[in-house]
């Protein structure tokens, strides 16, 4: 079953490249999996994406990807996924006095 998903950082990187890099856009349209690996997205993640994500495709305009990048960057999802969660450290034994 294909259940992998991209991290927030990988999603933003992919949207940025699709919004700004004509050569990357062509490679992605022809071979999305190879283009994602080229960006540094782990091979294991790519091969476990839904098959429809890996099929050759037509692409929306660069402006559409710029808008998607900006919306995602400013979304609650992106902010909460990149949130640093504090860690509590407990020590064993009696407290220092």
């Amino acid at each position: 079953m294909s259940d992998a998903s991209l991290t927030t950082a990988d999603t933003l990187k992919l949207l940025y490249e699709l919004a700004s890099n004509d050569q990357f856009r062509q490679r992605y349209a022809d071979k999305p999996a190879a283009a994602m690996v080229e960006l540094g997205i782990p091979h294991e993640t790519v091969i476990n994406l839904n098959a429809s994500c890996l099929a050759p495709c037509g692409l929306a305009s660069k402006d559409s990807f710029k808008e998607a990048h900006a919306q995602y960057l400013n979304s609650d999802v992106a902010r909460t996924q990149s949130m640093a969660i504090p860690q509590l450290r407990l020590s064993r034994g009696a407290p220092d006095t």
Side-chain angles (χ1 to χ4, degrees):
M1 169 151 216
S2 302
D3 61 356
S5 60
L6 300 181
T7 65
T8 298
D10 288 340
T11 299
L12 289 169
K13 189 182 331 181
L14 179 59
L15 289 172
Y16 178 81
E17 289 299 318
L18 291 170
S20 62
N21 184 331
D22 289 326
Q23 292 80 22
F24 179 81
R25 286 172 55 84
Q26 186 58 53
R27 290 191 300 277
Y28 185 87
D30 294 339
K31 295 182 180 179
M36 286 188 271
V37 170
E38 171 190 325
L39 276 184
I41 298 170
H43 183 262
E44 187 70 22
T45 299
V46 173
I47 63 173
N48 285 304
L49 291 171
N50 187 295
S52 64
C53 298
L54 306 176
C57 58
L59 295 176
S61 70
K62 290 190 331 187
D63 285 338
S64 295
F65 284 105
K66 285 179 189 173
E67 183 177 334
H69 182 269
Q71 287 179 359
Y72 191 76
L73 185 61
N74 295 317
S75 73
D76 288 337
V77 172
R79 282 193 294 275
T80 57
Q81 284 184 333
S82 61
M83 182 175 104
I85 299 172
Q87 295 181 358
L88 178 62
R89 295 180 190 206
L90 300 174
S91 61
R92 292 193 204 177
D96 294 335
T97 54

